[in-house]
Each structure stands twice: as structure tokens, then as C-alpha cells.
């Protein structure tokens, strides 16, 4: 008999601009790829940005019905229409609606396990409370570093691909978080057509990192290197602000046009667009969880990576690139630009060697492995066969079936 | 020491809501009764779950809230924690509002191991907090008033307190919960008339459920039959003007017409909600309460009786019990009970009109009867009862 898993989320899992949704969907797809597991998803029809409607065809559901369901792969998605399409504007009424739909689905789907993304809203804890009444085990996926304690209420097992988060919440709330395989699907991020000419870096909005990048670009320009650089803005005007600060700190007067070897572009909705342009990838950030996924996307496509060194990044990059220990001055700026520049030259020099190493480095990042590592943690919960227990019948917070 | 924590996602200073009035009175009286043996904190969001009318004065008096996210102050021995919210309507609260309310809750919980958590509201936020509290060993009580919950099983609550006996019975059977009748909490001293100059027959809270259709018909017919009778309508969370337009009369061909507007009534005076209800009773000869819903609370009836003002009410069981001999109770037609917006026929209201005339003539001769009816209701007894319930619940 198939084990049934119900995923509960507030934001749409089809939102392609949200790293949380992308990761959640990967886990859902991974679980659904297992033979003896059936996955349903319930979430609201709301997105980080309006543009991120994953399918234009889904617009037909816009305000048409209060709730609807669609099949995507082997996963069934239940959606509830809300008063707004923007996630952060959802109100209590919308969440109450989601809560009711969930209770309704618990009655109909009869899940053996309820799993969701731990977030700073009460919807998951309310639904988990309902699950506890019916003796259904619960699990949550932890991806954010700003969670409040209530995000952990009523949860049997916590999963996270990030060890840093496990450490953080162990100290903060004494929660034991199980580490699963990095949520990354190598096969899905392979780009076929390539027009690689740039050395790409993503601007995470940190001044020291930005300065380092500009210094690199200047150095390359001075040495007459043919290397072209591409900076990806995550925020609209942030790059200009950072350049202003750079000029102030260094008594210089650069504007963006002064850099003949640098292009700047906004973050594309799909990272694949970026990959098709990249020859090398530079990462100076070690704090953002997005970094890990981005680096993996590049490595999977055989793009060598130059990165700052930290435990996590060293293990990800491995032999497929170079990690340089950043040396910080008292004012927070990074001083060893030369080390980074030499590493970049080294990378360009032995391009083919590093390119080969990429394949071996990303071998392990497969959807199957995600599924195995997750199911290993969830297996004891599924083995309770909650849906076959007698508590299921009429013991929830609603006296009658809605 | 007994430690009580109140939690609701609306303000209990809201004077237009019966639940809020009852809850606030109950907590204040508990603090007064048990003095040093009790410590009470209340966590609320600065919003109204009915209408902003009842909260206007409170918001104006708490200007500090504009600067603070969470405002805590002590009033009548109760420590309040008010969370700011961007919209005064509960249903429009967003994630950040709930986040602030939760912060207020954690602030209240700091160094305060509550024995019992009392609250109202069934949205996912409140239920998740209550279920968490229950799993941590805190006793939980749902303060139910003014309605019955057909499909909610109150699993997160150790007890459910109601102000109506028949709802307590209903919940015990249908929701299978430990539901207890605790009575109404009206502080009579606060609603006593100061300068009694009766002028009007008063209709409070003009909603369809409260019998707006009956009132409209009675007021309409009195214009010709008793031109000397004047009516006072007190808006609270509904608007008399707007709701009148929804009243309907069934025509022979099955269609509906909407007969009334505010201009139809020459004998009706409108007044806005006021925090000090004694001002209304100052002007009142009698209360008319053709209520269509047995599950609604009867705060107005108690307040009127306390002022020796007789009540003309519908004969639903809870209202009959409350009115007892302090007025008259009359039947309501079945069609109107089924559809609250349907205007009753001339025959339906005939005995209401007859009673109204009698009632208006004798309004100042019924003081002893009102006092006799009021014997059912004693705030001190209700509060003592609650204190006992709490001490048993928390084993203290």
C-alpha cells in the first residue's frame, strides 16, 4: 500500500522566484519519485512577485474558483485562491481559508504524514496542531535562518539541507534538525546551448564583496586581460549605491561606463539564462544559503568556480575550483585581492582540468539521493501508518466533516 | 497565586462587542475579588472583531501606540499588552500583524508561568497558540459568548465557558466538550442612569438578527397609531441606515420589494454608539428587543432591568428567562425566524403594537418587577463561581 504524504505550504510551490518554493518543490518531487509514496500538496495561489506565475495557462484559475487542483508530474496540487496574489499581503482570512481546506483534505486524502516548510506564520503550527489531535506524525523543512520559535511547534522531525541552520537552531531553541542531501537536481539544471564568454559574479549586496569584485575587474583591466566580467544585480539600484560607497572609501571617481570589461544585468528569473553566458563563476559570499544552490548549478554545467573559503563552500567546490581564504582589514574590507586574482588566472590556465573535475564533484547531487536521504529520516514516521488508525475518525478540531 | 492570561486577536476594550465587555468585566472583577491571590495579564491586538465604533475612544486615549509596536499598561490591576496592527479589522490582518501579536504574547509570558489561558476567537493563530499552551501543561479555557459553534469541537480547550445555559447544554452534547454556564458579566454600577429623563422606546444594535425587520414594521405602524411614541435607535457595529435597505417584503408573484429607507420614519431618532451606555438609558422609557436568534447574549436586557426600565422582547427561551417579569415577551412569526430580513405582516405585529402602548403607559410603575427579575443575575455570584472554577481547574 502506498504511503500518503501531504505537503502544506503557504506560498505557492510553483513560484520560481522564491528559493524556498524551489527547494520545497524539489523535495516534493524527490519524495514523489519514490515508488511507494504518494504526495499531495496544498498551498495558496500566492507568489513572491506577480510575475512569477509559473504557467501562463494558470491565469484561468485566477479568481475563478475558491479552490482548484492540478496534477504536475506525479504530484497533485491543491490550490486555494486568496484575496491577493502577493504572498506578503495575505491576511488572516486567507490563512483561515487555507486552514479549512487543509482540514478538509486531511479527511479526504488521509495522509500518513504531514510535512511543510517551517515559516514565520501560524498556518503550519495550526495544521500540525490539528494533525496531533488525529495522531498524524509531522515533519518540517527548515530553510530560513530567521525562524521564530512557533515555527517549530508540534513538529516531530525537522529536516534541513543546511548544517549551519541545524547548528543555529540547536543553540537557539534546542531543536535537533536532521541533515538531508542538498536540495539540488543536477539533471534539471543542465543547459544545452551555451554562449560562454563571461566571468560571472552575483551581487549579494555586501560592500566588502562588491569592493573585492571591483578591484578584481580593475586589475584585469589594468593588466589588459581579455576576460569579460558580468555582475548580476539582485536588487534594482543596489549596485550603484555600492559603487558610490566604493568611490567614497577609495577616493576614486568611477562610474559604471568606466569599466570596459564589465557588464551589469538584473537577476534573470531562471538561472539557466545566466549559466549559458558563463565561463567561470566567482562567489564571494559565504552567508547566504542561496550560494550553495547557485554554485552547484554552475558546477553541474562544468563551469569552474572561484570562491571565498569556508567549511561548507570548500566541500561543495572541492577540486572543481579554487577557494581562497579572505583576509579582512579592520574596516571590514578584504585586503588580499592579489590572491583572488592569481587564483582566477590559475583557473583560466587550467580550465580543462577544472572542467573535468566538475562532473565528479556534482555526481552525488541527484534527485534520487535527495529522496533516499529524506525518506531515511521520514521512514519511522510513515511506519506508524497513521491513516489506518482509529483516531482518524472525527477527532479533529471540527466536530463534523466540512 | 493564580496566574491568568487572556489572549485574543482583538481588543477587549471594544465596547460594541458583548464578548469584550463580558471578558473585561470578568477579569476586572476577578482581580478585585481575589486581590493579591491573582495575577492577570491580557494580550490583545488593537483591532475590533465587530466594528471600530466601540474602539474609537480607546485608540484616541492610547496615542502612545502610534510610536510603540507593543504597548503595555496596567489598568484596574490587569496588565495589558496591546500589539499594534496596520488595519483595525481583524479579518484583514497580515503576517506582520500576527507576528507582532505573537511578540506581545511572548512578552507577557516572560517570567510569567500562566496557570490558565483564557481566550476567544477560532482563527488558526489563536488555535495554534492554545494548542501549544495546552501541550505545555497550561489549562485552556474558551470564553464563548453570543453564538454557538456547530462544527467546532474545542479540542484545544479544557473548558468552554458560555453565558447562556442552553448553549452550554448544546455544546456538551453536540461538540462533546466540557462546557460550563458561567452567566453574564455586566457591571451594573457602570450603567446606572445619572439623570433619568425618559423620552424614547429604545432599540439597541439594529441588526437583522436582533429583529430589525420587526422593529421597522412596528415603528412604521406606530407613526399613525401612536404618534406620541418616539423611538431611539442606537447603532453599534451595524448601521440602521444601511441595513434598512436590505429589508424585504414578499409580493404575490414571489418577487421581493424593499419598502423602507431612513426617510420612512418620522418618529425615529438615531444615535451613534457610545462607550457610556448609561446616557442611553437616561433617555429610555423601555427597551424593545424583537431578537430572532436565541443564541445571542442579552446584555442590554440586564442593563435595562438594572435601571428599572421594562423590556419588550421576543419569546425565545433565553430572552424569556432573562426578562422574567420585568417586561413582556411576545411570539415571532416562523417566516421571520427563517429569514431575518423578511418584514412581518400587519397581523404578526398586532399584539406587539398593543403591548407597546400598554408598555409605554406604564413604564414608570414596574421598578419592583424589574428588580425581581434582576435577582436571577448577580455579578458577584458569577465572579465567585468563576473563581471557584479556576481554582479547581488549576488545583490551587
Amino acid at each position: 500500500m502506498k504511503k500518503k504524504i501531504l505537503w502544506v505550504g503557504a506560498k505557492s510551490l510553483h513560484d520560481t522566484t522564491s528559493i524556498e518554493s524551489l527547494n520545497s518543490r524539489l523535495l516534493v518531487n524527490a519524495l514523489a519519485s519514490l515508488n511507494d509514496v504518494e504526495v499531495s500538496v496544498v498551498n495558496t495561489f500566492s507568489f513572491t512577485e506577480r510575475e512569477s506565475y509559473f504557467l501562463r495557462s494558470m491565469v484561468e484559475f485566477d479568481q475563478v474558483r475558491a479552490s482548484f487542483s492540478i496534477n504536475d508530474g506525479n504530484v497533485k496540487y491543491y490550490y486555494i485562491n486568496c484575496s491577493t496574489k502577493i504572498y506578503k499581503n495575505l491576511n488572516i482570512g486567507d490563512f483561515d481559508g487555507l486552514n479549512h481546506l487543509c482540514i478538509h483534505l486531511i479527511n479526504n486524502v488521509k495522509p500518513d504524514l504531514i510535512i511543510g516548510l517551517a515559516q514565520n506564520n501560524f498556518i503550519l503550527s495550526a495544521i500540525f496542531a490539528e494533525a496531533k489531535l488525529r495522531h498524524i506524525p509531522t515533519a518540517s523543512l527548515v530553510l530560513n535562518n530567521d525562524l521564530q520559535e512557533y515555527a517549530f511547534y508540534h513538529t516531530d522531525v525537522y529536516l534541513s539541507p543546511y548544517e549551519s541552520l541545524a547548528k543555529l537552531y540547536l543553540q537557539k531553541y534546542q531543536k535537533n534538525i536532521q541533515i538531508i542531501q542538498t536540495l539540488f537536481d543536477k539533471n534539471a539544471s543542465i543547459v544545452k546551448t551555451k554562449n560562454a564568454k563571461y566571468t560571472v559574479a552575483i551581487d549579494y549586496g555586501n560592500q566588502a564583496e562588491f569592493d573585492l569584485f571591483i578591484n578584481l575587474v580593475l586589475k584585469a583591466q589594468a593588466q589588459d586581460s581579455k576576460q569579460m566580467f558580468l555582475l548580476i544585480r539582485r536588487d534594482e539600484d543596489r549596485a550603484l549605491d555600492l559603487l558610490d560607497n566604493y568611490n567614497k572609501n577609495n577616493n576614486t571617481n568611477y562610474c559604471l561606463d568606466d569599466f570596459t570589461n564589465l557588464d551589469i544585468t538584473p537577476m534573470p528569473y531562471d538561472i539557466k539564462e545566466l549559466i549559458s553566458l558563463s565561463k567561470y563563476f566567482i562567489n564571494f559570499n559565504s552567508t547566504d544559503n542561496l550560494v550553495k544552490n547557485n554554485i552547484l548549478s554552475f558546477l553541474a554545467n562544468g563551469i569552474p568556480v572561484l570562491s571565498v573559503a569556508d567549511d561548507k563552500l570548500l566541500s561543495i567546490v572541492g577540486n572543481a575550483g579554487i577557494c581562497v581564504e579572505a583576509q579582512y582589514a579592520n574596516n571590514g574590507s578584504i585586503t588580499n585581492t592579489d590572491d583572488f586574482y592569481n587564483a582566477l588566472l590559475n583557473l583560466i590556465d587550467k580550465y580543462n582540468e577544472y572542467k573535468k573535475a566538475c562532473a565528479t564533484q556534482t555526481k552525488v547531487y541527484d534527485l534520487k539521493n535527495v529522496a533516499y536521504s529524506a525518506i531515511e529520516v521520514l521512514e519511522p514516521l510513515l511506519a506508524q501508518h497513521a491513516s489506518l488508525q482509529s483516531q482518524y475518525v472525527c477527532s479533529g478540531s471540527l466536530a463534523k466533516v466540512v | 497565586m493564580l496566574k491568568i492570561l487572556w489572549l485574543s486577536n482583538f481588543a477587549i476594550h471594544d465596547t460594541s462587542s458583548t464578548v469584550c465587555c463580558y471578558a473585561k468585566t470578568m477579569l476586572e472583577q476577578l482581580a478585585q475579588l481575589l486581590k493579591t491571590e491573582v495575577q492577570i495579564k491580557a494580550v490583545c491586538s488593537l483591532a475590533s472583531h465587530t466594528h471600530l465604533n466601540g474602539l474609537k475612544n480607546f485608540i484616541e486615549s492610547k496615542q502612545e501606540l502610534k510610536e510603540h509596536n507593543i504597548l503595555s499598561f496596567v489598568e484596574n490591576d490587569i496588565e495589558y499588552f496591546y500589539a499594534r496592527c496596520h488595519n483595525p479589522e481583524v479579518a484583514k490582518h497580515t503576517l506582520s500583524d500576527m507576528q507582532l501579536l505573537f511578540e506581545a504574547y511572548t512578552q507577557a509570558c516572560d517570567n510569567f508561568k500562566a496557570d490558565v489561558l483564557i481566550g476567544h476567537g477560532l482563527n488558526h493563530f489563536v488555535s495554534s497558540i492554545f494548542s501549544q499552551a495546552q501541550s505545555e501543561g497550561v489549562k485552556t479555557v474558551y470564553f464563548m459568548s453570543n453564538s454557538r459553534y456547530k462544527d467546532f469541537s474545542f479540542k484545544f480547550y479544557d473548558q468552554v465557558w458560555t453565558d447562556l445555559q442552553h448553549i452550554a447544554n448544546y455544546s456538551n452534547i453536540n461538540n462533546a466538550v466540557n462546557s460550563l454556564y458561567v452567566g453574564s458579566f455586566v457591571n451594573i454600577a457602570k450603567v446606572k442612569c445619572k439623570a433619568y429623563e425618559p423620552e424614547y422606546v429604545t432599540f439597541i444594535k439594529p441588526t437583522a438578527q436582533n429583529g430589525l425587520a420587526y422593529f421597522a414594521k412596528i415603528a412604521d405602524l406606530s407613526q399613525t397609531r401612536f404618534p406620541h411614541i418616539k423611538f431611539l435607535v442606537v447603532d453599534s457595529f451595524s448601521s440602521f441606515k444601511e441595513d434598512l435597505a436590505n429589508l424585504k417584503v414578499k409580493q404575490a408573484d414571489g418577487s421581493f420589494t424593499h419598502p423602507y429607507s431612513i426617510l420612512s420614519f418620522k418618529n425615529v431618532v438615531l444615535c451613534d454608539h457610545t462607550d457610556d451606555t448609561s446616557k442611553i438609558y437616561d433617555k429610555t422609557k423601555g427597551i424593545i428587543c424583537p431578537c430572532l436568534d436565541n443564541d445571542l447574549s442579552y446584555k442590554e436586557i440586564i442593563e435595562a432591568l438594572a435601571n428599572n426600565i421594562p423590556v419588550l422582547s421576543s419569546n425565545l427561551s433565553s430572552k424569556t428567562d432573562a426578562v422574567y417579569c420585568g417586561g413582556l415577551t411576545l411570539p415571532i412569526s416562523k417566516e421571520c425566524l427563517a429569514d431575518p430580513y423578511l418584514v412581518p405582516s400587519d397581523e404578526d405585529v398586532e399584539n406587539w403594537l398593543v403591548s407597546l402602548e400598554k408598555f409605554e403607559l406604564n413604564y414608570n410603575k414596574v421598578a419592583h418587577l424589574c428588580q425581581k427579575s434582576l435577582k436571577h443575575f448577580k455579578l458577584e455570584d458569577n465572579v465567585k463561581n468563576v473563581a471557584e472554577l479556576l481554582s479547581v481547574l488549576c488545583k490551587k
Side-chain angles (χ1 to χ4, degrees), chain A residues 133-323:
Chain A
L133 284 179
R134 296 160 183 256
H135 300 260
I136 305 170
T138 56
S140 70
L141 176 65
V142 178
L143 294 176
N144 304 51
N145 56 7
D146 60 347
L147 293 178
Q148 300 277 333
E149 195 167 6
Y150 61 74
F152 297 93
Y153 283 177
H154 307 295
T155 316
D156 293 327
V157 165
Y158 316 100
L159 311 171
S160 178
Y162 305 121
E163 278 172 48
S164 60
L165 291 182
K167 269 185 210 158
L168 171 74
Y169 292 119
L170 183 64
Q171 283 171 359
K172 212 169 168 187
Y173 305 129
Q174 291 79 48
K175 301 292 176 194
N176 182 17
I177 296 178
Q178 311 293 327
I179 306 295
I180 57 167
Q181 166 83 48
T182 305
L183 294 171
F184 180 73
D185 185 5
K186 185 182 61 187
N187 300 327
S189 58
I190 299 276
V191 180
K192 297 233 168 70
T193 52
K194 275 194 188 172
N195 176 23
K197 55 178 180 180
Y198 285 112
T199 300
V200 173
I202 295 178
D203 164 30
Y204 288 94
N206 181 328
Q207 186 69 43
E209 294 159 10
F210 182 82
D211 291 356
L212 178 60
F213 180 72
I214 291 295
N215 285 335
L216 263 185
V217 173
L218 284 171
K219 196 145 188 151
Q221 203 172 357
Q223 308 221 343
D224 222 10
S225 156
K226 293 214 170 59
Q227 201 56 47
M228 284 296 286
F229 291 88
L230 181 68
L231 182 67
I232 310 300
R233 294 193 317 238
R234 280 176 74 195
D235 277 327
E236 203 47 35
D237 297 323
R238 188 79 186 139
L240 288 173
D241 290 351
L242 291 172
L243 190 60
D244 281 350
N245 287 341
Y246 177 87
N247 284 334
K248 242 178 249 167
N249 295 339
N250 296 297
N251 292 325
T252 50
N253 195 15
Y254 292 113
C255 67
L256 289 176
D257 292 340
D258 292 345
F259 306 104
T260 49
N261 55 347
L262 172 67
D263 287 336
I264 294 185
T265 144
M267 186 84 176
Y269 281 119
D270 195 342
I271 197 158
K272 283 182 185 173
E273 290 175 31
L274 210 64
I275 288 169
S276 67
L277 292 172
S278 333
K279 196 156 189 198
Y280 308 98
F281 178 63
I282 311 181
N283 164 53
F284 297 132
N285 192 301
S286 59
T287 49
D288 202 314
N289 277 326
L290 246 172
V291 170
K292 206 169 172 178
N293 281 53
N294 285 340
I295 291 183
L296 283 171
S297 310
F298 285 96
L299 290 180
N301 284 289
I303 297 164
V305 173
L306 167 64
S307 170
V308 288
D310 113 318
D311 294 352
K312 188 176 73 181
L313 293 171
L314 273 172
S315 71
I316 300 172
V317 176
N319 295 326
I322 303 172
C323 289

Side-chain angles (χ1 to χ4, degrees), chain A residues 91-92 96 150 154 396-397 399, chain B residues 93 99 102 123-124 131 151 153:
Chain A
N91 61 34
I92 279 200
D96 282 345
Y150 61 74
H154 307 295
S397 62
Chain B
H93 280 184
Q99 176 77 37
F102 184 76
N123 71 44
H124 71 278
S131 76
D151 53 7
S153 67

Side-chain angles (χ1 to χ4, degrees), chain B residues 39-57:
Chain B
Q39 201 181 347
I40 304 178
K41 290 188 180 187
V43 182
C44 306
S45 175
L46 191 69
S48 164
H49 69 143
T50 50
H51 195 277
L52 200 56
N53 270 347
L55 209 54
K56 255 183 215 155
N57 292 340

Side-chain angles (χ1 to χ4, degrees), chain A residues 10-11 44-50 82-95 121, chain B residues 86-87 90-98:
Chain A
K11 199 189 286 178
T44 64
F45 197 53
S46 68
F47 305 84
T48 318
E49 304 284 346
R50 211 184 152 83
C82 295
S83 58
T84 163
K85 297 279 167 301
I86 310 289
Y87 170 71
K88 65 171 195 277
N89 296 343
L90 290 182
N91 61 34
I92 279 200
D94 296 326
F95 284 117
N121 61 48
Chain B
H86 83 284
N87 196 311
V90 165
K92 287 186 181 154
H93 280 184
T94 59
L95 288 173
S96 56
D97 295 323
M98 283 188 270

